[in-house]
Amino acid sequence: MTTCVKKRNEDVKNTNFFSKDSLNLLKKNMKLMTFKSGDHIFFEGDHVNSLYYVIEGTINLYKATEDGKILTLNYFEEDDLFGDYPPNAKNKTRENAKALEDSVVGMIDLHDVELLLWEHRDFSIEFTKWVSHSQQLTQTKLRDLMFFGKNGAMASVIIRMTNTYGKQQGNKWEITKKFTHDEMSCLIGTPRETVTRMLSQLKKDGLIDYDKGYITVFDLNGLKNICRCEDCPLQICRL
């Protein structure tokens, strides 16, 4: 397989709900921060009163247990907005956010967000859609993890990879982002050895190929059958 240059599908950006004018309003209120690869933007339990807009780079939102287990919740890239609104009672985050590569992130104070909601009707409507989308994204990922077993969760993750980074070549899809077994194990909350076994079976069944970290999908409908895909919009069925 030829190594691809990572390219994300523009349709999966979670700020597609916002008009150009609304995005400009957000950008005018941003304070730009730079993070080196491996830096944390915040840790679970931190007091946070901001939303975050990715200018460049990749941010990993994840949960971690005391014994070191990690569950990756989302990858956020250029033009994605993330953070909690409204915040919980104590304004404490429930996740960790880490830069996976050198990144630039715009921080928007929640007080400024509330002023925009008060002053701009169109922004308020679009922001409500963004909040609803964020909730649906979390709900569908939990559904895939809980209801269809590890095989269903693995199939769902590969579908999300295809929607997010897939490049169609005839009847197959090449996923342009490299994923290690460890990264995939964090995406579905299962040991690395289980991921290795499931990938081998999917390859044996002719649904995918996996070569040096890159996945090629030969039968997308076959994967959808495993996880009983509901054909959610791309903004929902993404990493």
Side-chain angles (χ1 to χ4, degrees), residues 177-190:
K177 177 177 169 61
K178 183 176 182 178
F179 287 92
T180 66
H181 287 201
D182 286 332
E183 288 172 322
M184 285 186 275
S185 71
C186 292
L187 282 164
I188 63 175
T190 197

Side-chain angles (χ1 to χ4, degrees), residues 161-179:
M161 290 176 180
T162 304
N163 290 339
T164 308
Y165 300 107
K167 178 181 179 182
Q168 190 167 13
Q169 300 282 1
N171 294 323
K172 66 182 180 180
W173 290 84
E174 293 182 352
I175 296 174
T176 60
K177 177 177 169 61
K178 183 176 182 178
F179 287 92

Side-chain angles (χ1 to χ4, degrees), residues 26 29 49-51 84-87 91 108-121 123-124 127:
L26 274 176
N29 287 278
N49 289 291
S50 302
L51 295 181
D84 287 333
Y85 186 90
N91 291 357
I108 311 112
D109 191 278
L110 289 179
H111 176 70
D112 293 327
V113 174
E114 289 170 353
L115 288 177
L116 293 176
L117 293 171
W118 177 261
E119 296 172 353
H120 301 275
R121 178 178 178 273
F123 176 85
S124 180
F127 188 82

Side-chain angles (χ1 to χ4, degrees), residues 73-86:
L73 302 174
N74 296 101
Y75 289 110
F76 295 110
E77 297 190 18
E78 183 179 347
D79 295 326
D80 278 334
L81 181 69
F82 68 97
D84 287 333
Y85 186 90

